[in-house]
PDB file of all heavy atoms in Angstrom:
ATOM      1  N   GLU A  60      -2.082   0.496  14.388  1.00 94.00           N
ATOM      2  CA  GLU A  60      -3.210   1.252  14.937  1.00 94.00           C
ATOM      3  C   GLU A  60      -3.647   2.356  13.978  1.00 94.00           C
ATOM      4  O   GLU A  60      -4.654   3.014  14.200  1.00 94.00           O
ATOM      5  CB  GLU A  60      -2.826   1.843  16.292  1.00 94.00           C
ATOM      6  CG  GLU A  60      -2.585   0.786  17.342  1.00 94.00           C
ATOM      7  CD  GLU A  60      -2.246   1.364  18.698  1.00 94.00           C
ATOM      8  OE1 GLU A  60      -2.496   2.566  18.930  1.00 94.00           O
ATOM      9  OE2 GLU A  60      -1.743   0.600  19.532  1.00 94.00           O
ATOM     10  N   ARG A  61      -2.897   2.558  12.896  1.00 94.00           N
ATOM     11  CA  ARG A  61      -3.160   3.656  11.969  1.00 94.00           C
ATOM     12  C   ARG A  61      -3.879   3.222  10.697  1.00 94.00           C
ATOM     13  O   ARG A  61      -4.454   4.038   9.998  1.00 94.00           O
ATOM     14  CB  ARG A  61      -1.843   4.329  11.583  1.00 94.00           C
ATOM     15  CG  ARG A  61      -1.012   4.810  12.732  1.00 94.00           C
ATOM     16  CD  ARG A  61      -1.205   6.210  13.083  1.00 94.00           C
ATOM     17  NE  ARG A  61      -1.172   7.010  11.879  1.00 94.00           N
ATOM     18  CZ  ARG A  61      -1.507   8.266  11.827  1.00 94.00           C
ATOM     19  NH1 ARG A  61      -1.888   8.875  12.900  1.00 94.00           N
ATOM     20  NH2 ARG A  61      -1.450   8.941  10.713  1.00 94.00           N
ATOM     21  N   PHE A  62      -3.800   1.951  10.358  1.00 97.00           N
ATOM     22  CA  PHE A  62      -4.439   1.461   9.140  1.00 97.00           C
ATOM     23  C   PHE A  62      -4.814  -0.005   9.325  1.00 97.00           C
ATOM     24  O   PHE A  62      -4.356  -0.668  10.250  1.00 97.00           O
ATOM     25  CB  PHE A  62      -3.558   1.646   7.904  1.00 97.00           C
ATOM     26  CG  PHE A  62      -2.158   1.078   8.016  1.00 97.00           C
ATOM     27  CD1 PHE A  62      -1.916  -0.285   7.881  1.00 97.00           C
ATOM     28  CD2 PHE A  62      -1.083   1.922   8.242  1.00 97.00           C
ATOM     29  CE1 PHE A  62      -0.640  -0.797   7.976  1.00 97.00           C
ATOM     30  CE2 PHE A  62       0.209   1.424   8.340  1.00 97.00           C
ATOM     31  CZ  PHE A  62       0.434   0.055   8.193  1.00 97.00           C
ATOM     32  N   ILE A  63      -5.653  -0.476   8.419  1.00 97.00           N
ATOM     33  CA  ILE A  63      -6.048  -1.877   8.419  1.00 97.00           C
ATOM     34  C   ILE A  63      -5.016  -2.645   7.597  1.00 97.00           C
ATOM     35  O   ILE A  63      -4.802  -2.337   6.422  1.00 97.00           O
ATOM     36  CB  ILE A  63      -7.465  -2.045   7.835  1.00 97.00           C
ATOM     37  CG1 ILE A  63      -8.462  -1.270   8.694  1.00 97.00           C
ATOM     38  CG2 ILE A  63      -7.846  -3.522   7.734  1.00 97.00           C
ATOM     39  CD1 ILE A  63      -9.792  -1.037   8.031  1.00 97.00           C
ATOM     40  N   PHE A  64      -4.362  -3.603   8.215  1.00 98.00           N
ATOM     41  CA  PHE A  64      -3.296  -4.359   7.561  1.00 98.00           C
ATOM     42  C   PHE A  64      -3.786  -5.751   7.183  1.00 98.00           C
ATOM     43  O   PHE A  64      -4.451  -6.421   7.975  1.00 98.00           O
ATOM     44  CB  PHE A  64      -2.083  -4.495   8.496  1.00 98.00           C
ATOM     45  CG  PHE A  64      -0.963  -5.295   7.894  1.00 98.00           C
ATOM     46  CD1 PHE A  64      -0.119  -4.718   6.971  1.00 98.00           C
ATOM     47  CD2 PHE A  64      -0.773  -6.624   8.245  1.00 98.00           C
ATOM     48  CE1 PHE A  64       0.918  -5.459   6.393  1.00 98.00           C
ATOM     49  CE2 PHE A  64       0.251  -7.370   7.684  1.00 98.00           C
ATOM     50  CZ  PHE A  64       1.100  -6.791   6.756  1.00 98.00           C
ATOM     51  N   SER A  65      -3.454  -6.163   5.976  1.00 98.00           N
ATOM     52  CA  SER A  65      -3.727  -7.533   5.563  1.00 98.00           C
ATOM     53  C   SER A  65      -2.609  -8.011   4.645  1.00 98.00           C
ATOM     54  O   SER A  65      -1.798  -7.216   4.157  1.00 98.00           O
ATOM     55  CB  SER A  65      -5.096  -7.648   4.884  1.00 98.00           C
ATOM     56  OG  SER A  65      -5.210  -6.743   3.819  1.00 98.00           O
ATOM     57  N   MET A  66      -2.579  -9.301   4.445  1.00 98.00           N
ATOM     58  CA  MET A  66      -1.519  -9.891   3.637  1.00 98.00           C
ATOM     59  C   MET A  66      -2.078 -11.063   2.853  1.00 98.00           C
ATOM     60  O   MET A  66      -2.954 -11.789   3.337  1.00 98.00           O
ATOM     61  CB  MET A  66      -0.403 -10.383   4.556  1.00 98.00           C
ATOM     62  CG  MET A  66       0.825 -10.827   3.832  1.00 98.00           C
ATOM     63  SD  MET A  66       2.103 -11.228   5.021  1.00 98.00           S
ATOM     64  CE  MET A  66       2.331 -12.918   4.601  1.00 98.00           C
ATOM     65  N   ILE A  67      -1.608 -11.208   1.635  1.00 97.00           N
ATOM     66  CA  ILE A  67      -1.916 -12.410   0.869  1.00 97.00           C
ATOM     67  C   ILE A  67      -0.594 -13.031   0.427  1.00 97.00           C
ATOM     68  O   ILE A  67       0.404 -12.335   0.234  1.00 97.00           O
ATOM     69  CB  ILE A  67      -2.867 -12.146  -0.326  1.00 97.00           C
ATOM     70  CG1 ILE A  67      -2.290 -11.137  -1.308  1.00 97.00           C
ATOM     71  CG2 ILE A  67      -4.219 -11.694   0.150  1.00 97.00           C
ATOM     72  CD1 ILE A  67      -3.166 -10.957  -2.548  1.00 97.00           C
ATOM     73  N   GLU A  68      -0.612 -14.333   0.281  1.00 98.00           N
ATOM     74  CA  GLU A  68       0.572 -15.086  -0.124  1.00 98.00           C
ATOM     75  C   GLU A  68       0.334 -15.692  -1.496  1.00 98.00           C
ATOM     76  O   GLU A  68      -0.620 -16.444  -1.677  1.00 98.00           O
ATOM     77  CB  GLU A  68       0.858 -16.207   0.871  1.00 98.00           C
ATOM     78  CG  GLU A  68       1.126 -15.743   2.278  1.00 98.00           C
ATOM     79  CD  GLU A  68       1.249 -16.912   3.230  1.00 98.00           C
ATOM     80  OE1 GLU A  68       2.137 -17.771   3.014  1.00 98.00           O
ATOM     81  OE2 GLU A  68       0.434 -16.977   4.172  1.00 98.00           O
ATOM     82  N   ASN A  69       1.211 -15.366  -2.430  1.00 96.00           N
ATOM     83  CA  ASN A  69       1.103 -15.959  -3.753  1.00 96.00           C
ATOM     84  C   ASN A  69       1.653 -17.382  -3.780  1.00 96.00           C
ATOM     85  O   ASN A  69       1.311 -18.147  -4.674  1.00 96.00           O
ATOM     86  CB  ASN A  69       1.810 -15.105  -4.801  1.00 96.00           C
ATOM     87  CG  ASN A  69       1.041 -13.839  -5.115  1.00 96.00           C
ATOM     88  OD1 ASN A  69      -0.171 -13.782  -4.927  1.00 96.00           O
ATOM     89  ND2 ASN A  69       1.726 -12.821  -5.583  1.00 96.00           N
ATOM     90  N   GLY A  70       2.524 -17.723  -2.838  1.00 94.00           N
ATOM     91  CA  GLY A  70       3.074 -19.070  -2.783  1.00 94.00           C
ATOM     92  C   GLY A  70       4.260 -19.300  -3.691  1.00 94.00           C
ATOM     93  O   GLY A  70       5.033 -20.225  -3.495  1.00 94.00           O
ATOM     94  N   GLU A  71       4.393 -18.456  -4.689  1.00 97.00           N
ATOM     95  CA  GLU A  71       5.540 -18.520  -5.593  1.00 97.00           C
ATOM     96  C   GLU A  71       5.768 -17.126  -6.162  1.00 97.00           C
ATOM     97  O   GLU A  71       4.901 -16.260  -6.082  1.00 97.00           O
ATOM     98  CB  GLU A  71       5.297 -19.525  -6.719  1.00 97.00           C
ATOM     99  CG  GLU A  71       4.156 -19.143  -7.655  1.00 97.00           C
ATOM    100  CD  GLU A  71       3.947 -20.139  -8.778  1.00 97.00           C
ATOM    101  OE1 GLU A  71       4.944 -20.525  -9.423  1.00 97.00           O
ATOM    102  OE2 GLU A  71       2.792 -20.527  -9.010  1.00 97.00           O
ATOM    103  N   ASN A  72       6.945 -16.915  -6.721  1.00 97.00           N
ATOM    104  CA  ASN A  72       7.256 -15.624  -7.312  1.00 97.00           C
ATOM    105  C   ASN A  72       6.584 -15.534  -8.678  1.00 97.00           C
ATOM    106  O   ASN A  72       7.015 -16.165  -9.637  1.00 97.00           O
ATOM    107  CB  ASN A  72       8.771 -15.428  -7.433  1.00 97.00           C
ATOM    108  CG  ASN A  72       9.129 -14.019  -7.837  1.00 97.00           C
ATOM    109  OD1 ASN A  72       8.286 -13.259  -8.319  1.00 97.00           O
ATOM    110  ND2 ASN A  72      10.374 -13.653  -7.652  1.00 97.00           N
ATOM    111  N   LEU A  73       5.534 -14.737  -8.734  1.00 97.00           N
ATOM    112  CA  LEU A  73       4.777 -14.571  -9.975  1.00 97.00           C
ATOM    113  C   LEU A  73       5.304 -13.422 -10.827  1.00 97.00           C
ATOM    114  O   LEU A  73       4.776 -13.164 -11.901  1.00 97.00           O
ATOM    115  CB  LEU A  73       3.303 -14.314  -9.649  1.00 97.00           C
ATOM    116  CG  LEU A  73       2.589 -15.399  -8.847  1.00 97.00           C
ATOM    117  CD1 LEU A  73       1.153 -14.980  -8.551  1.00 97.00           C
ATOM    118  CD2 LEU A  73       2.631 -16.728  -9.567  1.00 97.00           C
ATOM    119  N   GLY A  74       6.327 -12.720 -10.342  1.00 97.00           N
ATOM    120  CA  GLY A  74       6.835 -11.551 -11.035  1.00 97.00           C
ATOM    121  C   GLY A  74       6.095 -10.305 -10.585  1.00 97.00           C
ATOM    122  O   GLY A  74       5.103 -10.366  -9.844  1.00 97.00           O
ATOM    123  N   PHE A  75       6.594  -9.167 -11.014  1.00 97.00           N
ATOM    124  CA  PHE A  75       6.072  -7.881 -10.562  1.00 97.00           C
ATOM    125  C   PHE A  75       4.611  -7.672 -10.962  1.00 97.00           C
ATOM    126  O   PHE A  75       3.765  -7.364 -10.128  1.00 97.00           O
ATOM    127  CB  PHE A  75       6.942  -6.746 -11.115  1.00 97.00           C
ATOM    128  CG  PHE A  75       6.533  -5.387 -10.642  1.00 97.00           C
ATOM    129  CD1 PHE A  75       6.895  -4.930  -9.388  1.00 97.00           C
ATOM    130  CD2 PHE A  75       5.774  -4.549 -11.453  1.00 97.00           C
ATOM    131  CE1 PHE A  75       6.518  -3.676  -8.935  1.00 97.00           C
ATOM    132  CE2 PHE A  75       5.385  -3.283 -11.014  1.00 97.00           C
ATOM    133  CZ  PHE A  75       5.759  -2.858  -9.753  1.00 97.00           C
ATOM    134  N   ALA A  76       4.309  -7.832 -12.233  1.00 98.00           N
ATOM    135  CA  ALA A  76       2.955  -7.524 -12.715  1.00 98.00           C
ATOM    136  C   ALA A  76       1.918  -8.478 -12.135  1.00 98.00           C
ATOM    137  O   ALA A  76       0.907  -8.041 -11.571  1.00 98.00           O
ATOM    138  CB  ALA A  76       2.915  -7.553 -14.241  1.00 98.00           C
ATOM    139  N   ALA A  77       2.148  -9.789 -12.247  1.00 98.00           N
ATOM    140  CA  ALA A  77       1.161 -10.753 -11.764  1.00 98.00           C
ATOM    141  C   ALA A  77       1.024 -10.686 -10.245  1.00 98.00           C
ATOM    142  O   ALA A  77      -0.080 -10.813  -9.715  1.00 98.00           O
ATOM    143  CB  ALA A  77       1.539 -12.165 -12.203  1.00 98.00           C
ATOM    144  N   GLY A  78       2.134 -10.452  -9.537  1.00 98.00           N
ATOM    145  CA  GLY A  78       2.063 -10.323  -8.085  1.00 98.00           C
ATOM    146  C   GLY A  78       1.202  -9.145  -7.675  1.00 98.00           C
ATOM    147  O   GLY A  78       0.320  -9.269  -6.815  1.00 98.00           O
ATOM    148  N   ASN A  79       1.446  -7.994  -8.284  1.00 98.00           N
ATOM    149  CA  ASN A  79       0.629  -6.814  -7.986  1.00 98.00           C
ATOM    150  C   ASN A  79      -0.812  -6.999  -8.440  1.00 98.00           C
ATOM    151  O   ASN A  79      -1.739  -6.553  -7.755  1.00 98.00           O
ATOM    152  CB  ASN A  79       1.228  -5.560  -8.633  1.00 98.00           C
ATOM    153  CG  ASN A  79       2.305  -4.951  -7.787  1.00 98.00           C
ATOM    154  OD1 ASN A  79       2.109  -4.689  -6.605  1.00 98.00           O
ATOM    155  ND2 ASN A  79       3.472  -4.726  -8.379  1.00 98.00           N
ATOM    156  N   ASN A  80      -1.020  -7.650  -9.579  1.00 98.00           N
ATOM    157  CA  ASN A  80      -2.386  -7.876 -10.054  1.00 98.00           C
ATOM    158  C   ASN A  80      -3.199  -8.677  -9.047  1.00 98.00           C
ATOM    159  O   ASN A  80      -4.394  -8.416  -8.876  1.00 98.00           O
ATOM    160  CB  ASN A  80      -2.380  -8.558 -11.419  1.00 98.00           C
ATOM    161  CG  ASN A  80      -2.071  -7.600 -12.542  1.00 98.00           C
ATOM    162  OD1 ASN A  80      -2.162  -6.379 -12.387  1.00 98.00           O
ATOM    163  ND2 ASN A  80      -1.682  -8.141 -13.681  1.00 98.00           N
ATOM    164  N   ASN A  81      -2.589  -9.642  -8.375  1.00 98.00           N
ATOM    165  CA  ASN A  81      -3.310 -10.385  -7.338  1.00 98.00           C
ATOM    166  C   ASN A  81      -3.750  -9.448  -6.218  1.00 98.00           C
ATOM    167  O   ASN A  81      -4.856  -9.560  -5.705  1.00 98.00           O
ATOM    168  CB  ASN A  81      -2.461 -11.523  -6.781  1.00 98.00           C
ATOM    169  CG  ASN A  81      -2.483 -12.742  -7.662  1.00 98.00           C
ATOM    170  OD1 ASN A  81      -3.260 -12.835  -8.607  1.00 98.00           O
ATOM    171  ND2 ASN A  81      -1.624 -13.701  -7.355  1.00 98.00           N
ATOM    172  N   GLY A  82      -2.877  -8.523  -5.838  1.00 98.00           N
ATOM    173  CA  GLY A  82      -3.238  -7.547  -4.812  1.00 98.00           C
ATOM    174  C   GLY A  82      -4.336  -6.608  -5.276  1.00 98.00           C
ATOM    175  O   GLY A  82      -5.261  -6.296  -4.521  1.00 98.00           O
ATOM    176  N   ILE A  83      -4.251  -6.167  -6.502  1.00 98.00           N
ATOM    177  CA  ILE A  83      -5.261  -5.268  -7.059  1.00 98.00           C
ATOM    178  C   ILE A  83      -6.628  -5.954  -7.103  1.00 98.00           C
ATOM    179  O   ILE A  83      -7.633  -5.376  -6.695  1.00 98.00           O
ATOM    180  CB  ILE A  83      -4.828  -4.774  -8.457  1.00 98.00           C
ATOM    181  CG1 ILE A  83      -3.617  -3.831  -8.318  1.00 98.00           C
ATOM    182  CG2 ILE A  83      -5.976  -4.107  -9.195  1.00 98.00           C
ATOM    183  CD1 ILE A  83      -2.907  -3.530  -9.628  1.00 98.00           C
ATOM    184  N   LYS A  84      -6.659  -7.188  -7.571  1.00 98.00           N
ATOM    185  CA  LYS A  84      -7.921  -7.939  -7.619  1.00 98.00           C
ATOM    186  C   LYS A  84      -8.511  -8.089  -6.218  1.00 98.00           C
ATOM    187  O   LYS A  84      -9.722  -7.940  -6.026  1.00 98.00           O
ATOM    188  CB  LYS A  84      -7.701  -9.313  -8.243  1.00 98.00           C
ATOM    189  CG  LYS A  84      -7.460  -9.280  -9.726  1.00 98.00           C
ATOM    190  CD  LYS A  84      -7.133 -10.666 -10.245  1.00 98.00           C
ATOM    191  CE  LYS A  84      -6.594 -10.585 -11.656  1.00 98.00           C
ATOM    192  NZ  LYS A  84      -6.101 -11.885 -12.133  1.00 98.00           N
ATOM    193  N   TYR A  85      -7.671  -8.398  -5.257  1.00 98.00           N
ATOM    194  CA  TYR A  85      -8.137  -8.551  -3.872  1.00 98.00           C
ATOM    195  C   TYR A  85      -8.742  -7.242  -3.375  1.00 98.00           C
ATOM    196  O   TYR A  85      -9.830  -7.224  -2.813  1.00 98.00           O
ATOM    197  CB  TYR A  85      -6.976  -8.985  -2.977  1.00 98.00           C
ATOM    198  CG  TYR A  85      -7.334  -9.048  -1.521  1.00 98.00           C
ATOM    199  CD1 TYR A  85      -7.858 -10.212  -0.970  1.00 98.00           C
ATOM    200  CD2 TYR A  85      -7.150  -7.952  -0.681  1.00 98.00           C
ATOM    201  CE1 TYR A  85      -8.195 -10.280   0.372  1.00 98.00           C
ATOM    202  CE2 TYR A  85      -7.491  -8.003   0.664  1.00 98.00           C
ATOM    203  CZ  TYR A  85      -8.010  -9.171   1.188  1.00 98.00           C
ATOM    204  OH  TYR A  85      -8.343  -9.221   2.513  1.00 98.00           O
ATOM    205  N   ALA A  86      -8.010  -6.131  -3.557  1.00 98.00           N
ATOM    206  CA  ALA A  86      -8.477  -4.831  -3.067  1.00 98.00           C
ATOM    207  C   ALA A  86      -9.796  -4.423  -3.721  1.00 98.00           C
ATOM    208  O   ALA A  86     -10.704  -3.934  -3.044  1.00 98.00           O
ATOM    209  CB  ALA A  86      -7.406  -3.762  -3.300  1.00 98.00           C
ATOM    210  N   ILE A  87      -9.922  -4.631  -5.009  1.00 98.00           N
ATOM    211  CA  ILE A  87     -11.173  -4.306  -5.695  1.00 98.00           C
ATOM    212  C   ILE A  87     -12.305  -5.167  -5.146  1.00 98.00           C
ATOM    213  O   ILE A  87     -13.410  -4.687  -4.899  1.00 98.00           O
ATOM    214  CB  ILE A  87     -11.021  -4.465  -7.220  1.00 98.00           C
ATOM    215  CG1 ILE A  87     -10.103  -3.361  -7.762  1.00 98.00           C
ATOM    216  CG2 ILE A  87     -12.382  -4.436  -7.917  1.00 98.00           C
ATOM    217  CD1 ILE A  87      -9.687  -3.540  -9.208  1.00 98.00           C
ATOM    218  N   GLY A  88     -12.030  -6.440  -4.914  1.00 98.00           N
ATOM    219  CA  GLY A  88     -13.024  -7.333  -4.344  1.00 98.00           C
ATOM    220  C   GLY A  88     -13.466  -6.923  -2.944  1.00 98.00           C
ATOM    221  O   GLY A  88     -14.588  -7.209  -2.528  1.00 98.00           O
ATOM    222  N   GLU A  89     -12.587  -6.233  -2.221  1.00 98.00           N
ATOM    223  CA  GLU A  89     -12.891  -5.754  -0.879  1.00 98.00           C
ATOM    224  C   GLU A  89     -13.584  -4.383  -0.900  1.00 98.00           C
ATOM    225  O   GLU A  89     -13.888  -3.828   0.150  1.00 98.00           O
ATOM    226  CB  GLU A  89     -11.608  -5.665  -0.045  1.00 98.00           C
ATOM    227  CG  GLU A  89     -11.000  -7.021   0.281  1.00 98.00           C
ATOM    228  CD  GLU A  89     -11.878  -7.848   1.193  1.00 98.00           C
ATOM    229  OE1 GLU A  89     -12.275  -7.331   2.257  1.00 98.00           O
ATOM    230  OE2 GLU A  89     -12.178  -9.002   0.834  1.00 98.00           O
ATOM    231  N   GLY A  90     -13.777  -3.819  -2.091  1.00 97.00           N
ATOM    232  CA  GLY A  90     -14.496  -2.556  -2.210  1.00 97.00           C
ATOM    233  C   GLY A  90     -13.627  -1.316  -2.231  1.00 97.00           C
ATOM    234  O   GLY A  90     -14.109  -0.214  -1.931  1.00 97.00           O
ATOM    235  N   ALA A  91     -12.362  -1.454  -2.610  1.00 98.00           N
ATOM    236  CA  ALA A  91     -11.468  -0.298  -2.664  1.00 98.00           C
ATOM    237  C   ALA A  91     -12.000   0.764  -3.622  1.00 98.00           C
ATOM    238  O   ALA A  91     -12.434   0.449  -4.731  1.00 98.00           O
ATOM    239  CB  ALA A  91     -10.074  -0.729  -3.104  1.00 98.00           C
ATOM    240  N   ASP A  92     -11.965   2.016  -3.171  1.00 97.00           N
ATOM    241  CA  ASP A  92     -12.300   3.140  -4.045  1.00 97.00           C
ATOM    242  C   ASP A  92     -11.074   3.644  -4.783  1.00 97.00           C
ATOM    243  O   ASP A  92     -11.173   4.119  -5.914  1.00 97.00           O
ATOM    244  CB  ASP A  92     -12.896   4.285  -3.214  1.00 97.00           C
ATOM    245  CG  ASP A  92     -14.201   3.900  -2.566  1.00 97.00           C
ATOM    246  OD1 ASP A  92     -15.114   3.448  -3.285  1.00 97.00           O
ATOM    247  OD2 ASP A  92     -14.314   4.039  -1.329  1.00 97.00           O
ATOM    248  N   PHE A  93      -9.917   3.548  -4.126  1.00 97.00           N
ATOM    249  CA  PHE A  93      -8.653   4.016  -4.695  1.00 97.00           C
ATOM    250  C   PHE A  93      -7.570   2.998  -4.393  1.00 97.00           C
ATOM    251  O   PHE A  93      -7.549   2.402  -3.318  1.00 97.00           O
ATOM    252  CB  PHE A  93      -8.249   5.377  -4.106  1.00 97.00           C
ATOM    253  CG  PHE A  93      -9.195   6.480  -4.437  1.00 97.00           C
ATOM    254  CD1 PHE A  93     -10.232   6.805  -3.582  1.00 97.00           C
ATOM    255  CD2 PHE A  93      -9.064   7.193  -5.619  1.00 97.00           C
ATOM    256  CE1 PHE A  93     -11.116   7.823  -3.882  1.00 97.00           C
ATOM    257  CE2 PHE A  93      -9.951   8.205  -5.939  1.00 97.00           C
ATOM    258  CZ  PHE A  93     -10.978   8.528  -5.066  1.00 97.00           C
ATOM    259  N   LEU A  94      -6.648   2.823  -5.351  1.00 97.00           N
ATOM    260  CA  LEU A  94      -5.527   1.896  -5.208  1.00 97.00           C
ATOM    261  C   LEU A  94      -4.220   2.657  -5.368  1.00 97.00           C
ATOM    262  O   LEU A  94      -4.108   3.511  -6.252  1.00 97.00           O
ATOM    263  CB  LEU A  94      -5.585   0.805  -6.280  1.00 97.00           C
ATOM    264  CG  LEU A  94      -6.859  -0.013  -6.387  1.00 97.00           C
ATOM    265  CD1 LEU A  94      -6.809  -0.891  -7.625  1.00 97.00           C
ATOM    266  CD2 LEU A  94      -7.057  -0.851  -5.143  1.00 97.00           C
ATOM    267  N   LEU A  95      -3.255   2.316  -4.558  1.00 97.00           N
ATOM    268  CA  LEU A  95      -1.909   2.875  -4.673  1.00 97.00           C
ATOM    269  C   LEU A  95      -0.945   1.706  -4.670  1.00 97.00           C
ATOM    270  O   LEU A  95      -0.820   1.005  -3.660  1.00 97.00           O
ATOM    271  CB  LEU A  95      -1.616   3.829  -3.516  1.00 97.00           C
ATOM    272  CG  LEU A  95      -0.196   4.357  -3.376  1.00 97.00           C
ATOM    273  CD1 LEU A  95       0.241   5.122  -4.616  1.00 97.00           C
ATOM    274  CD2 LEU A  95      -0.081   5.243  -2.145  1.00 97.00           C
TER     275      LEU A  95
END
Side-chain angles (χ1 to χ4, degrees):
E60 294 182 17
R61 305 265 313 169
F62 53 78
I63 299 164
F64 179 79
S65 54
M66 188 175 120
I67 59 175
E68 299 174 59
N69 287 336
E71 65 179 312
N72 189 344
L73 301 178
F75 183 80
N79 276 308
N80 282 343
N81 279 350
I83 291 167
K84 288 175 193 173
Y85 175 89
I87 290 170
E89 292 294 308
D92 296 306
F93 296 93
L94 305 172
L95 172 59

